[in-house]
Amino acid sequence: MLRAFFITLSRAGWAQRTITQWPFAWRAASRFVAGEQPASAIRAIRALNAKGIQATLDHLGENTTNAAEAAQATADIQLILDEIEQAGVRSNVSIKLSQIGLALDTALCRDNLLRILEHAQTRANFVRIDMEDSPYTDRTLDLYREMRARGYDNTGVVVQSYLYRTGHDVTCLMTQQAHQAHTRVRLTKGAYREPVDVVYRRKADVDANYDRLTKLLLDRALAAGAPAISADGRTPPIPAIATHDERRIQYATDYAKQIGLPKPALEFQMLYGIRRDLQEQLAAAGYPVRVYVPYGTRWYPYFMRRSSCV
């Protein structure tokens, strides 16, 4: 009930207008958000890199309401790619397609996504396409496949274990034609309020599906030759196991050992401000670790969803 309440608040305009005026709200949000400006985010990434941890930088924002907002978000993402390059930090970027126009028009979103991927290519960087709530799932996967078919190998996608459909989606992503051979997948549990007919409701079922999907991804990584994280830390291996759940992490490490998957071919991902101890333990054990570092003025929806999970 409490989780559903926070997720509902994350979408409520009246709540956003009210809560973001409270000084203590930003103090609480700053645990999860690395500031409102790019310079703050770069400082946070430098601190992570110093501990042997990579980053994914996310310029916060979603569900833009007009083409001008989507264009500005696109420009902001291109700018942060420039900032990463100039700073020389070990980071890639994550984007939400509704931030660059998917809720408005698919063609508009496609054009903006092409601009971002092209810009990222010139910076030898990688773009993770985030997954949002289920009304966007098909269009997100379709645009991802289209970008790969156009030759943009510098992109990956996110899937969510609480959706019934995700096992099928992962199987399809892993068995696409040759240009899809190295689909890089970030596996999460999911953080949106969804209709009861599309998601597992019990935590035990979500967790069991997470382990099944982990096995699929690790098997695929081994079959593809166990591609490792890139030397500059920007391009991840095929499986990105994104969780703070120690049981899920233990399953992944145990299964990787069982099948002989090298540590550099498996990445663990966590959120900024959550389980720093576990991040450092995994990095010290030799696993690539990447922290999702959000920044920007539109922190309210992200903060409310995170509040529902901790």
Side-chain angles (χ1 to χ4, degrees), residues 62-63 96-98 130-134 136 160 192 194:
E62 54 196 88
N63 294 309
K96 285 183 169 58
L97 295 188
S98 74
D130 207 349
M131 188 59 71
E132 301 176 69
D133 42 352
S134 57
Y136 292 112
Q160 301 163 321
Y192 293 88
E194 297 284 7

Side-chain angles (χ1 to χ4, degrees), residues 54 56 186 241-245 249 268-280 282 289-293 302:
Q54 284 67 235
T56 287
R186 179 179 195 256
I241 307 304
T243 182
H244 309 98
D245 184 335
I249 292 168
F268 290 101
Q269 296 191 0
M270 298 186 197
L271 300 177
Y272 182 75
I274 302 178
R275 291 306 308 268
R276 293 184 175 117
D277 59 330
L278 188 53
Q279 296 168 17
E280 294 176 20
L282 287 165
V289 176
R290 189 176 304 274
V291 170
Y292 181 96
V293 179
Y302 175 83

Side-chain angles (χ1 to χ4, degrees), residues 145-219:
R145 291 187 181 100
E146 181 181 339
M147 295 303 108
R148 291 300 305 272
R150 287 172 178 254
Y152 291 100
D153 295 335
N154 62 327
T155 186
V157 73
V158 176
V159 299
Q160 301 163 321
S161 74
Y162 69 170
L163 293 176
Y164 291 139
R165 61 174 289 166
T166 302
H168 175 73
D169 288 336
V170 169
T171 299
C172 290
L173 286 167
M174 294 294 106
T175 56
Q176 291 287 335
Q177 56 268 39
H179 67 262
Q180 296 281 15
H182 287 173
T183 286
R184 290 172 165 82
V185 174
R186 179 179 195 256
L187 174 60
T188 68
K189 290 189 181 182
Y192 293 88
R193 189 175 186 180
E194 297 284 7
V196 296
D197 60 335
V198 302
V199 293
Y200 295 102
R201 308 304 295 181
R202 296 174 60 247
K203 180 181 182 300
D205 294 331
V206 176
D207 289 347
N209 198 39
Y210 196 99
D211 290 346
R212 285 192 293 269
L213 295 168
T214 294
K215 182 178 184 298
L216 280 174
L217 292 172
L218 269 57
D219 284 342

Side-chain angles (χ1 to χ4, degrees), residues 22-34:
W22 298 343
F24 70 82
W26 169 248
R27 289 197 295 272
S30 64
R31 172 186 169 188
F32 307 110
V33 179

